[in-house]
Amino acid sequence: MIDDAFLTALPKAELHLHIEGSLEPEMMVALARRNSVAIPFKSVEEVRAAYSFTDLQSFLDIYYAGAGVLRTEEDFHDLALAYFDRAAADGVVHAEIFFDPQTHTHRGIPFDVVASGLFAGIAAAEAKHGMTVGLIMSYLRHLDEDDAFATLAQAEPWLDRFVGVGLDSSEVGHPPSKFARVFAASRERGLKLCAHAGEEGPPAYVHEALDVLHVDRIDHGNRSLEDHALVARLARAGMTLTVCPSSNVALRNVASLDVHPIDRMLDLGLRATIHSDDPSYFGGYIGENFRAVAAARNLSREQVVTLARNSFLGSFIDDAALAGHLDRLDAFVKAH
Ligand code: ADE
Ligand code: ZN
């Protein structure tokens, strides 16, 4: 068994985190009060009790409802800083996080309010923790491509500050090809491309993310394991899969952590990493994901160090920053 303290302090990058999914029940109740927003829960305990999911959609329904308490720049700042405080305590030295602009603009919150608040939280975290942060704007795939284009237009003044775009929300029935044009337009603007694929959707969606969207990173990707040719292709390409073990169990895509395929992915030569997805809803931040899956799968020290190394290799930082992170990771491993 690897020491929990080692797993927590192990330097790592967070590459798959929805900032709206870090809204803790305490903050949800406090912001509902601060903003006079009605929520269908009387207490923090009632919010927590509602967190029992049968699949992705049953989670998304509660996740979008919860985000309704976020209204002001200050709310987005507070949300982001609370997340970065937890991430820093879990050894995160670099984070590339998602936000869902349409979740907010569709209920009348201006894009600029969301972006200003998040960037204020990011600046505070960079100063406080010395970490680096990139922001990824995710398109909601249950909406149409025109809506994604409208979002890209709203994002125009901010585009040079975003590192990339993503694709999330209800996967089945909304294949990557639905967003081919807006992903091409996003790449033309210099943005990196990520897409959730193979979380609940079939391996064909992972193929589409590669062939039609030309993504730089696959989020989740678990169902790639059903397609041997796809696994070989992902391994050959060195494509990063941002895997989220607690999320997989909470959304019933994997029966339990005891049978989680993270080590099989590594054995197959996939560049898999470990992340937290929506930690407030799924029971743990990145450190807890490392500790829980390492214990459940009896991972070796070498395997967890590979997972941490992969998180830097899969990030969108430049070569000099990457070399620095890998050197510091090696030094940490030598010293512990
Ligand atoms: N939005 C937030 N979390 C998500 C997930 N796990 N899958 C798809 N969309 C999401
Ligand atoms: Zn996700």
Side-chain angles (χ1 to χ4, degrees), residues 100-115:
D100 290 340
Q102 290 150 297
T103 297
H104 312 298
T105 54
H106 276 234
R107 55 189 179 82
I109 312 298
F111 189 102
D112 293 354
V113 167
V114 182

Side-chain angles (χ1 to χ4, degrees), residues 81-95:
L81 189 53
Y83 163 68
F84 292 121
D85 286 346
R86 289 173 184 269
D90 272 344
V92 171
V93 291
H94 175 72

Side-chain angles (χ1 to χ4, degrees), residues 18 56 59-60 63 168-169 196 199 220 247 251 277-278:
H18 303 265
L56 175 58
F59 153 69
L60 289 171
Y63 162 88
D168 64 1
S169 192
H196 283 53
E199 179 185 20
H220 295 292
S247 164
L251 300 186
D277 209 7
D278 302 283

Side-chain angles (χ1 to χ4, degrees), residues 14 16-24 27 59 63 67 70 75-87 95-101 103-104 114 117-119 121-122 133-136 138 168 276-281 285:
E14 173 78 274
H16 188 154
L17 177 283
H18 303 265
I19 196 63
E20 294 89 350
S22 71
L23 178 62
E24 289 288 336
M27 188 178 279
F59 153 69
Y63 162 88
L70 298 161
D75 299 339
F76 288 97
H77 163 277
D78 293 354
L79 175 71
L81 189 53
Y83 163 68
F84 292 121
D85 286 346
R86 289 173 184 269
E96 293 169 9
I97 65 166
F98 301 117
F99 78 115
D100 290 340
T103 297
H104 312 298
V114 182
L118 292 176
F119 278 118
I122 288 169
V133 177
L135 192 55
I136 300 172
S138 265
D168 64 1
S276 48
D277 209 7
D278 302 283
S280 149
Y281 292 90
Y285 287 74

Side-chain angles (χ1 to χ4, degrees), residues 41 58 61-62 78 88 95 123 133 138 166 238 241 243 249 253 285 311 317 320:
F41 309 108
S58 67
D61 292 343
I62 291 183
D78 293 354
V133 177
S138 265
L241 305 185
V243 180
V249 174
N253 294 314
Y285 287 74
S311 73
I317 52 181

Side-chain angles (χ1 to χ4, degrees), residues 4 26 28 44 48 51 53 57 66 70 73 78 130 147 149 175 211 230 242 269 274 316 320:
D4 274 353
E26 287 78 5
M28 191 190 294
V44 165
R48 261 206 186 92
Y51 291 179
F53 312 113
Q57 193 59 51
L70 298 161
E73 251 181 70
D78 293 354
D147 209 285
F149 267 113
D211 293 331
L230 176 57
T242 64
I274 287 186
F316 297 142

